[in-house]
Amino acid sequence: MVTDITKKLDKIFHERARLGVMSILVASEKDVSFSELINDLELTRGNLSVHIKILEDNGYVKSKKEFVNRKPRTTFRVTKTGRKAFEEYLKLLEQIVKNVNG
Amino acid sequence: MKQEEALEQIRLIREMMQKASHRFLFSPWQWIEWGVLIIIGYLTTYWLQNHGQPNHIIILWACIFIIGSALESYIWMAAARRRGIEPFNAFIVKLWAVAFAIMTMSIILSFIFIDLRQALYIPGLWLMTMGVVMVTFFILAERKDLLLFGATQMVGGILAVSFLLKHSMLVGAVFFGIGALIHGIYSLLKMKHL
């Protein structure tokens, strides 16, 4: 049973950093900046960029680039697909915990 | 995936979601609002010292406390509504309960100082109180910016009750009033630039 659920789990979220990015974006209704994600996740710029790219390529995260006071600012938000996939992932995690306990 | 792994993933999700909610736990507008109110309070207190009754000063600060708390609650609830989170979740309630417990002690001590005709100690007492509250918030909510702000308040408090007792009101106005204003404006600018 647990093996079946495990197969369904979205491998994208297995990575700790990506799971962290998704958790923050799902919890934040507004766009979250690159710097805020760095602060919260304690990752390097390069490392975070790699994980964001994977999430973007899968359509889970959308980025917005703009200039604020002539300075570039990149913000991110979770897409509908991303939110749904994340909720699904969370449900499966809960099922794993319940099944083993049960 | 094993149960331990799933539990670890859930723990990480909770931790990150809580971190995300801490970011807007303290709106810069809350600091600006308190800064303005405190400066108005100190200026009015100076004026009341020559033109009013001593109990007018107590009423003034009670009004500032009530108006400030009401405005702060409104700002916080509006921010929580915009973000779609529960404004009074268990963590927030715990945070404010700790702050209220510390402040209750200072309210009682303030009345004792008034009774002893040692009101000049009150600004220093409140600076130290707010310093302790801010450092507590820093520890519980992992807000690094509050550590510096809290430490500054504590230093101000120590100065106000020791070397600058005669000017304790001015120290209070500068450290908490102007301090909160600067902290609020800085946070606002930082938010816009991030």
Side-chain angles (χ1 to χ4, degrees):
Chain A
M1 182 73 173
V2 175
T3 326
D4 293 342
I5 301 167
T6 306
K7 277 178 189 168
K8 287 185 197 169
L9 280 172
D10 196 330
K11 297 285 182 284
I12 303 285
F13 299 139
H14 265 8
E15 168 59 43
R16 204 182 147 85
R18 290 198 286 274
L19 188 64
V21 171
M22 285 303 289
S23 307
I24 290 167
L25 295 182
V26 167
S28 311
E29 282 263 307
K30 281 191 172 181
D31 297 1
V32 179
S33 73
F34 197 78
S35 310
E36 284 171 328
L37 284 175
I38 285 176
N39 282 341
D40 287 350
L41 295 161
E42 290 166 9
L43 291 174
T44 60
R45 281 186 169 266
N47 202 350
L48 180 62
S49 300
V50 172
H51 293 298
I52 292 270
K53 173 125 184 29
I54 294 169
L55 291 169
E56 271 190 305
D57 290 346
N58 281 276
Y60 292 166
V61 167
K62 207 175 166 185
S63 68
K64 194 169 90 181
K65 286 181 177 26
E66 59 187 344
F67 279 88
V68 179
N69 295 334
R70 293 180 187 178
K71 283 182 183 171
R73 183 177 189 255
T74 310
T75 53
F76 304 93
R77 70 164 55 192
V78 68
T79 61
K80 271 186 186 173
T81 319
R83 192 176 288 272
K84 209 177 158 189
F86 185 77
E87 280 166 6
E88 190 62 32
Y89 183 80
L90 203 56
K91 269 183 203 164
L92 290 169
L93 285 181
E94 281 166 357
Q95 266 186 39
I96 292 173
V97 175
K98 271 183 200 166
N99 281 335
V100 177
N101 280 340
Chain B
M1 185 187 271
K2 288 177 188 170
Q3 187 201 21
E4 294 83 47
E5 273 182 85
L7 281 170
E8 174 57 24
Q9 298 276 66
I10 292 172
R11 192 198 59 76
L12 177 76
I13 293 168
R14 277 206 194 121
E15 187 192 312
M16 286 303 147
M17 284 184 153
Q18 205 172 47
K19 255 190 180 179
S21 67
H22 292 168
R23 197 179 306 117
F24 51 92
L25 196 59
F26 305 98
S27 160
W29 293 107
Q30 282 167 275
W31 301 114
I32 294 170
E33 166 242 316
W34 274 113
V36 170
L37 280 174
I38 297 294
I39 291 166
I40 293 171
Y42 278 114
L43 290 174
T44 317
T45 305
Y46 275 116
W47 187 83
L48 283 174
Q49 276 179 330
N50 300 318
H51 300 90
Q53 299 286 322
N55 61 341
H56 288 166
I57 298 173
I58 300 170
I59 295 166
L60 166 77
W61 284 100
C63 288
I64 286 173
F65 189 74
I66 293 164
I67 294 168
S69 303
L71 269 172
E72 189 172 26
S73 304
Y74 173 77
I75 294 168
W76 161 242
M77 281 171 78
R81 212 171 27 241
R82 274 200 306 276
R83 297 269 175 171
I85 67 151
E86 176 64 44
F88 298 108
N89 59 48
F91 179 73
I92 303 296
V93 171
K94 188 170 88 178
L95 214 60
W96 289 112
V98 171
F100 192 71
I102 298 167
M103 286 195 282
T104 304
M105 202 175 65
S106 295
I107 292 170
I108 295 165
L109 280 172
S110 297
F111 280 106
I112 293 171
F113 281 134
I114 292 167
D115 195 46
L116 294 170
R117 296 185 181 279
Q118 297 290 339
L120 282 175
Y121 282 100
I122 296 173
L125 167 73
W126 277 95
L127 279 174
M128 285 190 278
T129 303
M130 293 323 289
V132 172
V133 169
M134 293 308 130
V135 172
T136 309
F137 280 6
F138 153 73
I139 295 164
L140 296 176
E142 292 175 45
R143 284 284 305 255
K144 287 173 191 164
D145 58 320
L146 294 180
L147 179 63
L148 179 67
F149 186 64
T152 314
Q153 300 310 305
M154 283 189 194
V155 170
I158 293 164
L159 285 175
V161 295
S162 53
F163 310 110
L164 300 164
L165 187 60
K166 280 183 183 171
H167 309 286
S168 65
M169 291 232 307
L170 184 66
V171 178
V174 170
F175 275 80
F176 197 74
I178 298 173
L181 255 181
I182 292 170
H183 186 74
I185 294 166
Y186 170 75
S187 306
L188 203 65
L189 292 172
K190 202 177 152 197
M191 260 175 70
K192 285 185 176 172
H193 281 86
L194 274 173

